[in-house]
């Protein structure tokens, strides 16, 4: 992460530390003097916003564990204890439950930003892959966290998702039994999910550090998509982007607070205020909103594909929808990074965005016609974007002229505006 | 930046347009729930203490025969943001209940008078006993009922609800259910031991007999003694049992919002001042 | 732009200071809920008072009850025990204060001040050694009262520290006899 530091320790203590563990110059080089393209727009603040929400989740999560009991007989009541008796317990829980949604909201914007501006392209492939890994870890963590209150949606969501593994040929049943620690989702399942839900956020934190390290090697991408060529193209991270990110975080907190204080249950599901009952399934099993597009793709495969039964096909399609993101850097054949200079790609980008929104909406609908047909249609669009549009478009599209440098682009824009 | 924002807005408009153009897909999922006026709705909403007290009276005299309130303690009735009973009233009220405690020094369970820290005792010792007394139906606990029921809102309402802060789906549903008992229309078969109610969330008949009737509960504050008023009062009361910190949540929320807007404005000007010397 | 250069520093400083101050206030306010959540919650505070039926406790017998998660010793003392405790001059005691939550802070550690008026035979105290929080053993130690096995503190028949590392007499909690047979603690 270092390499840009002009840091000179000022006092004796700092000098003493610097000779033994150069952590101050590391921080200085990575988050103070770090040369950052001067043209980053507000879409670039969502990485910092996501990190902020991760910290909120870690702190409120540690607090909630001080009062929560991971036991199938006590979990639901312990959550109500938090909501009713613990000092500011309701605030801690609503921050945490809505924080999960906020985290995904910020990360989705962060991912779409990366796609629009081609941030995954050479030499930032590893940063992108680590990002997809982070997203996958978030999905796992959020899923297991939703199980902990042990309401109806907790139990049945866990049942449905763990049953996905039963689609695996031959060993499927052995895997689900192993995951459950029994013959259905029960107390052993709740305990291991609790353990992993506590562990994974720290893994996420570690991978975040690698993610930052990876993109600090190449430096930030930027809206023009041209690497900085001189000092004119960059500003030091502090105070320019510390202030800009902080401003964006505080604006984001307004949205966050809107949900926490005024709509705390809007993003949740009413059925999760009913204690888990293994004898009765709720009428509609619906995951949280941020998993809906993948849930839709799971249900798109309603037919057998050769030797693959539809159940396994759905699981493969859903897994593939995330897995395909890992190889995105090699599917896009265009050398131009920013969609600002790729008019045809820009159209397909927004089509892809629309596709994911529609998949999300359809994922919340019951598994019946005409929804299934629409889900299949948009699932085809989803995969076609990666497997057909991106490889072909790079070969046939004529991009607009890319500016020579960031500074040229910025000055050009200013004179346009004037 | 502006260009991009414009385009995203346009894309979102397309999304919205298409979704609206779709047929009324949401129809036929759950009962139709009428919005009711509630004192606790909106960013400054507060409970009407008199209404909560009346609602508690309805719960106590009618609902509590079959439905528990097991997450609520007597002391909660005297706590801030609730119905506003005095501590002495709550002590007297709790003492009317008999609570199983023990074991004593002989190892026997015994009954004693309720104390403010006790939770409301449930009318049945367990689910099986409840079903046995109710023709196989299980009267659910009401502590969280106002948050555990919600009719689907459908597009575009679920988007607009974010802006209008509509969170009263639960009490609206409860009110609709309690006032929804009718003669079954021609051709609708009502099974033995069931009652017709189109306001019910799963199916149009349920095992609960119409619990309310005019003049059933004697109000002392001059409020109308009608099914409509009883239903409103008890729904409001159940909103409080489900969300006892609603008032302080909204009050703190307003302070947080005001602070964040001030802080964001200051940061905005600070940020602009710092960036003034950079061509960007 | 140059004309602002002279006026600018003070205005800019003000903006920075205001932003920083508002941010600091916000951070402070935000910290409070995260600290306060660890304090005893509403259900714990509500349980802070218990009633104990002591009709079965004969002279020379003790019972131990739980109050706020700690043991409380309730003992009906013998005439001999009371006499022994009363005879000790207060000046000889390592801790000369009553440590009785029902009395003024400065009350002396006389035997009467360790019990309650009209019920002098009864000793009600939190059974926690004032050294490092262990539970002392009853009818033990050099003074026939309590003995803490952890670090060897000896308490007399009024629960006062007489020998060993403990600094104070065992605490008498707030209590009263609501009838002859019932003690309300807390």
């Amino acid at each position: 992460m270092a390499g840009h530091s002009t840091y000179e320790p000022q006092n004796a203590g700092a000098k003493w530390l610097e000779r033994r563990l150069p952590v101050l110059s590391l921080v200085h080089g990575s988050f103070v003097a770090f040369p950052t393209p001067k043209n980053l727009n507000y879409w670039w603040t969502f990485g910092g916003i996501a990190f902020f929400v991760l910290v909120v989740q870690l702190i409120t999560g540690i607090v909630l564990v001080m009062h929560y009991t991971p036991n199938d007989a006590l979990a639901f009541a312990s959550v109500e204890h938090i909501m009713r008796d613990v000092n500011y317990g309701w605030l801690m829980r609503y921050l945490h439950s809505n924080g999960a949604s906020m985290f995904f909201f910020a990360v989705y914007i962060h991912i779409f930003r990366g796609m629009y501006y081609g941030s995954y392209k050479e030499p930032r492939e590893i940063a992108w892959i680590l990002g997809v890994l982070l997203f996958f870890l978030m999905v796992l963590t959020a899923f297991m966290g939703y199980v902990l209150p042990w309401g109806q949606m907790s139990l049945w969501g866990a049942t449905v998702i763990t049953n996905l593994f039963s689609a695996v040929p031959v060993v499927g049943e052995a895997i689900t039994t192993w995951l459950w620690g029994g013959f259905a989702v029960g107390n052993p399942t709740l305990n291991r999910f609790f353990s992993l839900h506590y562990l994974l956020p720290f893994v996420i934190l570690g991978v975040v550090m690698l993610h930052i390290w990876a993109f600090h090697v190449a430096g930030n991408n930027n809206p023009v998509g041209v690497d900085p060529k001189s000092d004119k193209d960059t500003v030091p991270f502090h105070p320019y982007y510390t202030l800009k990110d902080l401003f964006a975080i505080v604006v984001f907190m307004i949205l966050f607070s809107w949900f926490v204080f005024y709509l705390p249950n809007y993003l949740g599901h009413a059925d999760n205020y009913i204690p888990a009952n293994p004898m009765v399934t709720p009428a509609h099993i619906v995951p949280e909103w941020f998993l809906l597009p993948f849930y839709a793709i799971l249900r798109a495969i309603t037919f057998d594909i050769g030797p693959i039964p539809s159940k396994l096909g759905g699981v493969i399609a859903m897994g593939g929808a995330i897995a395909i993101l890992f190889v995105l850097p090699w599917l896009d054949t265009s050398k131009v990074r920013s969609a600002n200079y790729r008019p045809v790609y820009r159209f397909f980008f927004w089509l892809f965005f629309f596709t994911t929104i529609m998949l999300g909406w359809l994922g919340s609908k019951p598994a019946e016609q005409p929804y299934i047909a629409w889900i299949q249609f948009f699932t085809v669009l989803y995969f076609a974007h990666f497997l057909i549009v991106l490889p072909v478009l790079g070969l046939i599209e004529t991009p607009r002229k890319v500016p020579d440098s960031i500074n040229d682009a910025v000055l050009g824009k200013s004179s346009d505006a004037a | 930046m502006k260009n991009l924002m414009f385009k995203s807005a346009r894309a979102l408009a397309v999304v919205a347009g298409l979704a609206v153009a779709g047929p009324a897909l949401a129809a036929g999922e759950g009962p139709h729930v009428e919005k009711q006026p509630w004192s606790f709705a909106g960013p400054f909403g507060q409970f009407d203490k008199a209404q909560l007290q009346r609602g508690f009276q309805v719960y106590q005299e009618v609902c509590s025969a079959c439905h528990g309130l097991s997450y609520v303690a007597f002391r909660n009735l005297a706590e801030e943001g609730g119905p506003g009973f005095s501590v002495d009233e709550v002590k007297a009220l709790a003492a009317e209940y008999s609570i199983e405690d023990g074991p004593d020094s002989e190892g026997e369970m015994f009954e004693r008078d309720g104390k403010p820290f006790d939770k409301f005792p449930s009318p049945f010792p367990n689910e099986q006993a409840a079903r046995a007394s109710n023709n196989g139906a299980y009267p659910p606990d009401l502590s969280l009922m106002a948050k555990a029921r919600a009719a689907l809102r459908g597009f575009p309402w679920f988007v607009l609800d974010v802006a209008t802060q509509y969170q009263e789906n639960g009490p609206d549903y409860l009110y609709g259910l309690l006032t929804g008992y009718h003669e079954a229309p021609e051709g609708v078969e009502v099974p033995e031991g069931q009652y017709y109610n189109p306001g019910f969330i799963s199916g149009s008949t349920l095992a609960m007999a119409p619990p309310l009737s005019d003049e059933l509960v004697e109000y002392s504050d001059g409020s109308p003694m009608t099914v409509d008023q009883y239903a409103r009062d008890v729904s409001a009361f159940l909103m409080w049992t489900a969300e006892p910190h609603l008032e302080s949540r909204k009050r703190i929320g307003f302070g947080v919002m005001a602070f964040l807007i001030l802080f964001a404005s200051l940061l905005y000007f600070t940020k602009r001042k710092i960036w003034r010397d950079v061509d960007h | 732009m140059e004309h602002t250069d002279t006026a600018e520093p003070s205005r800019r400083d003000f903006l920075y200071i205001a932003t920083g101050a508002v941010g600091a206030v916000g951070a402070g306010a935000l910290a409070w809920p995260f600290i306060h959540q660890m304090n005893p919650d509403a259900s714990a505070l509500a349980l802070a008072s218990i009633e104990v039926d002591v009709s079965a406790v004969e002279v020379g017998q003790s019972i131990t009850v739980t109050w706020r998660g700690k043991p409380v010793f309730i003992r009906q003392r013998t005439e001999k025990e009371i006499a022994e405790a009363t005879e000790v001059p207060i000046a000889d005691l390592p801790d000369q204060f009553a440590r009785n939550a029902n009395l003024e802070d400065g009350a002396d550690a006389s035997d009467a001040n360790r019990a309650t008026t009209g019920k002098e035979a009864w000793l009600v105290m939190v059974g926690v050694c004032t050294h490092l929080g262990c539970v002392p053993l009853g009818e033990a130690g050099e003074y026939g009262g309590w003995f803490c096995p952890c670090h060897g503190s000896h308490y007399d028949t009024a629960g006062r520290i007489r020998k060993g590392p403990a600094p104070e007499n065992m605490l008498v909690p707030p209590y009263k006899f609501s009838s002859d047979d019932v003690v309300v603690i807390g």
Side-chain angles (χ1 to χ4, degrees):
Chain A
M1 283 192 234
H4 304 285
S5 186
T6 53
Y7 178 70
E8 287 291 334
Q10 293 303 311
N11 61 60
K15 279 178 187 149
W16 184 90
L17 181 64
E18 188 65 18
R19 268 194 63 203
R20 286 153 181 87
L21 183 70
V23 67
L24 293 174
S25 60
L26 178 73
V27 170
H28 188 267
S30 304
F31 302 106
V32 179
F34 190 75
T36 313
K38 65 181 184 176
N39 60 335
L40 300 187
N41 57 36
Y42 274 102
W43 300 110
W44 255 266
T45 61
F46 280 89
I49 289 171
F51 184 75
F52 163 76
V53 185
L54 172 62
V55 172
V56 171
Q57 292 302 86
L58 281 166
I59 295 174
T60 53
I62 289 166
V63 164
L64 289 170
V65 170
M66 295 181 185
H67 307 282
Y68 168 78
T69 311
N71 175 286
D72 63 351
L74 304 170
F76 190 88
S78 74
V79 172
E80 277 311 304
H81 167 68
I82 291 169
M83 291 296 291
R84 290 161 192 275
D85 291 336
V86 173
N87 305 314
Y88 293 106
W90 58 268
L91 177 60
M92 300 296 142
R93 174 163 179 258
Y94 280 154
L95 279 172
H96 198 72
S97 60
N98 286 287
S101 285
M102 293 300 130
F103 197 10
F104 275 93
F105 180 66
V107 163
Y108 276 131
I109 293 179
H110 189 60
I111 293 173
F112 277 117
R113 189 272 289 161
M115 289 180 164
Y116 185 91
Y117 292 109
S119 299
Y120 47 81
K121 294 186 191 185
E122 193 277 330
R124 299 187 181 84
E125 298 96 326
I126 296 290
W128 172 264
I129 288 171
L130 289 169
V132 178
L133 179 64
L134 282 172
F135 173 68
F136 180 66
L137 290 171
M138 281 172 63
V139 169
L140 280 183
T141 309
F143 159 66
M144 289 191 277
Y146 199 57
V147 175
L148 302 185
W150 211 238
Q152 274 289 67
M153 273 296 157
S154 300
L155 175 68
W156 292 101
T159 300
V160 168
I161 299 300
T162 51
N163 263 309
L164 293 179
F165 290 91
S166 69
V168 177
V170 187
V171 292
E173 200 161 325
I175 293 176
T176 47
T177 310
W178 175 75
L179 281 175
W180 293 333
F183 302 98
V185 175
N187 193 48
T189 327
L190 175 61
N191 272 287
R192 62 192 60 181
F193 279 16
F194 174 64
S195 168
L196 294 172
H197 183 73
Y198 205 117
L199 170 70
L200 284 180
F202 296 97
V203 177
I204 289 178
L205 191 64
V207 180
V208 164
M209 293 305 154
L210 294 178
H211 182 66
I212 294 172
W213 186 6
F215 81 77
H216 274 202
V217 172
N220 294 73
N221 185 30
N222 66 79
V224 177
V226 179
D227 289 330
K229 295 206 165 76
S230 71
D231 288 351
K232 278 187 186 166
D233 292 341
T234 62
V235 292
F237 189 77
H238 178 77
Y240 294 96
Y241 284 108
T242 42
L243 251 296
K244 189 168 181 170
D245 281 359
L246 185 59
F247 169 64
I249 286 169
V250 172
V251 172
F252 189 83
M253 285 167 84
I254 295 176
L255 174 78
F256 195 168
S257 303
W258 185 265
F259 280 97
V260 167
F261 292 104
Y262 297 122
L263 295 158
N265 294 304
Y266 174 84
L267 295 164
H269 200 290
D271 279 356
N272 227 25
Y273 281 110
I274 303 170
N277 179 354
M279 299 297 125
V280 183
T281 306
H284 300 295
I285 303 279
V286 185
E288 292 210 276
W289 68 267
F290 42 80
L291 302 178
L292 287 172
F294 301 101
Y295 191 61
I297 291 173
L298 170 72
R299 299 192 299 182
I301 312 299
T302 52
F303 43 84
D304 298 348
I305 308 164
I308 302 171
S310 64
K311 182 173 169 182
L312 179 58
V315 175
I316 291 172
M318 184 174 75
I322 293 184
I324 204 163
L325 295 170
F326 281 105
V327 292
L328 171 61
W330 295 276
L331 293 173
D332 187 345
T333 50
S334 172
K335 294 283 176 241
V336 178
R337 290 199 187 110
S338 172
N340 283 352
Y341 306 101
R342 299 182 64 193
V344 185
Y345 171 67
R346 197 157 63 210
F347 167 79
F348 280 105
F349 170 84
W350 287 113
L351 180 67
F352 176 72
F353 177 75
F354 176 70
T355 300
T356 56
I357 297 283
M358 289 310 283
L359 281 172
W361 180 61
L362 290 161
S364 73
K365 294 288 154 194
E368 56 194 46
Q369 294 297 358
Y371 305 121
I372 295 293
W374 280 110
I375 285 175
Q376 289 168 339
F377 172 72
F378 283 110
T379 301
V380 169
L381 282 189
Y382 182 95
F383 285 102
H385 180 77
F386 293 103
L387 297 174
I388 301 172
V389 173
L390 288 177
V392 174
L393 206 56
L395 304 176
I396 60 172
E397 183 186 24
T398 317
R400 281 170 45 204
K401 186 183 174 306
V402 178
D404 287 336
S405 75
I406 293 170
N407 202 38
D408 285 2
V410 168
L411 294 178
K413 196 174 74 182
S414 310
S415 58
D416 282 351
Chain B
M1 174 72 204
K2 276 205 185 85
N3 198 16
L4 182 61
M5 297 260 270
F6 171 70
K7 278 183 204 122
S8 346
R10 193 172 59 188
L12 284 173
V14 171
V15 175
L18 277 179
V20 173
L25 293 168
E29 290 165 3
H32 175 67
V33 172
E34 291 271 352
K35 260 178 135 165
Q36 303 297 327
W38 300 106
S39 67
F40 49 83
F44 303 104
Q46 304 279 284
F47 288 116
D48 173 352
K49 286 188 167 45
Q51 181 174 47
L52 293 192
Q53 296 201 1
R54 292 195 303 271
F56 172 60
Q57 194 186 349
V58 174
Y59 167 76
Q60 211 186 9
E61 293 181 22
V62 184
C63 321
S64 69
C66 302
H67 294 277
L69 207 56
S70 56
Y71 293 107
V72 182
F74 296 113
R75 65 181 160 83
N76 295 143
L77 294 166
E79 281 167 6
E80 206 195 323
F85 288 104
S86 71
V87 173
D88 289 334
E89 283 172 318
V90 167
K91 272 186 184 158
L93 174 84
E96 290 171 20
Y97 286 79
S98 170
I99 305 287
E100 188 180 50
D101 201 347
D104 61 15
S105 45
E106 264 87 58
E108 303 291 329
M109 300 304 280
F110 59 94
E111 298 276 327
R112 60 164 172 80
D113 288 349
K115 295 275 175 61
F117 57 74
D118 287 315
K119 304 253 165 93
F120 276 85
S122 292
F124 303 103
N126 50 54
E127 183 179 336
Q128 285 75 8
R131 285 190 190 278
S133 318
N134 290 282
N135 290 326
Y138 177 46
D141 191 89
L142 294 184
S143 313
L144 284 162
M145 197 46 77
K147 287 199 293 194
R149 292 289 183 274
L152 285 176
R153 292 281 286 161
F155 193 86
W157 303 112
F158 79 84
V159 179
L160 298 177
D161 288 348
V162 176
T164 60
Q165 298 188 353
Y166 176 62
Q167 275 269 280
E168 291 72 40
N169 215 320
D172 283 349
Y173 166 79
L174 294 176
Y175 170 82
L177 179 75
L178 291 170
T179 56
Y181 288 93
H182 295 295
E183 283 291 312
E186 286 288 320
V188 173
E189 190 84 20
V190 180
E192 180 74 23
Q194 296 265 313
Y195 302 87
Y196 179 75
N197 189 335
F200 187 48
I201 198 161
S202 42
S204 57
T205 65
L206 74 166
M208 176 168 73
L212 301 173
S213 56
D214 290 347
E215 312 284 322
L216 182 67
V217 176
E218 188 76 26
Y219 280 164
S220 59
D221 66 353
S223 297
M225 296 191 277
T226 58
V227 169
D228 181 86
Q229 189 64 38
Y230 295 148
R232 267 178 220 288
D233 293 348
V234 81
S235 302
F237 172 71
L238 292 179
M239 186 67 220
W240 170 74
T241 63
E243 189 76 5
H245 296 295
L246 180 143
E247 288 193 359
S248 53
R249 166 161 64 76
K250 292 190 175 183
R251 194 179 56 240
I252 292 171
F254 180 72
V256 169
M257 283 291 174
F259 169 82
L260 287 177
I261 289 167
L262 169 73
F263 190 37
S265 321
L266 283 168
L267 277 171
Y268 177 71
F269 289 115
T270 307
K271 181 240 150 199
R272 272 221 339 201
K273 204 140 252 181
I274 282 173
W275 275 84
R276 210 186 43 183
D277 305 331
V278 181
D279 276 324
H280 70 286
Chain C
M1 254 187 206
E2 285 192 3
H3 66 280
T4 57
D5 275 355
T6 45
E8 201 54 24
S10 67
R11 255 176 61 197
R12 189 177 59 199
D13 289 351
F14 173 74
L15 181 61
Y16 292 168
I17 290 166
T19 308
V22 168
V25 168
L30 182 65
W32 175 242
F34 289 87
I35 297 165
H36 190 42
Q37 54 89 15
M38 283 172 69
N39 277 324
D41 63 49
S43 60
L45 294 173
L47 284 167
S49 150
I50 57 164
E51 282 181 17
V52 186
D53 182 353
V54 294
S55 55
V57 182
E58 307 287 343
V59 173
Q61 286 188 339
S62 304
I63 57 167
T64 305
V65 297
T66 310
W67 175 67
R68 288 187 170 174
K70 290 188 272 200
V72 170
F73 298 149
I74 302 176
R75 179 172 180 81
Q76 186 169 12
R77 300 182 292 172
T78 61
E79 293 291 338
K80 179 167 166 282
E81 286 171 348
I82 300 170
E84 275 174 14
T86 316
E87 279 164 16
V88 183
I90 289 171
D92 290 359
L93 296 169
D95 177 14
Q96 299 178 4
F97 294 107
R99 309 290 171 194
N100 184 338
N102 306 288
L103 300 175
E104 303 267 310
D105 266 355
D108 68 53
S110 66
D111 185 66
N113 277 350
R114 296 282 298 165
T116 190
T117 319
K119 288 280 185 182
E120 282 79 6
W122 292 87
L123 186 61
V124 177
M125 63 183 183
V126 176
V128 172
C129 179
T130 57
H131 181 219
L132 291 171
C134 296
V135 178
L137 307 168
E139 293 172 61
E142 290 176 19
Y143 300 87
W146 284 265
F147 171 69
C148 182
C150 289
H151 305 97
S153 292
H154 299 258
Y155 296 88
D156 66 13
T157 53
R160 297 173 298 196
I161 181 65
R162 297 296 290 276
K163 186 179 169 190
E168 290 177 10
N169 303 328
M170 278 194 270
L171 180 77
V172 177
Y175 76 94
K176 62 175 194 284
F177 278 83
S178 63
S179 72
D180 263 5
D181 290 336
V182 178
V183 188
V184 180
I185 302 171

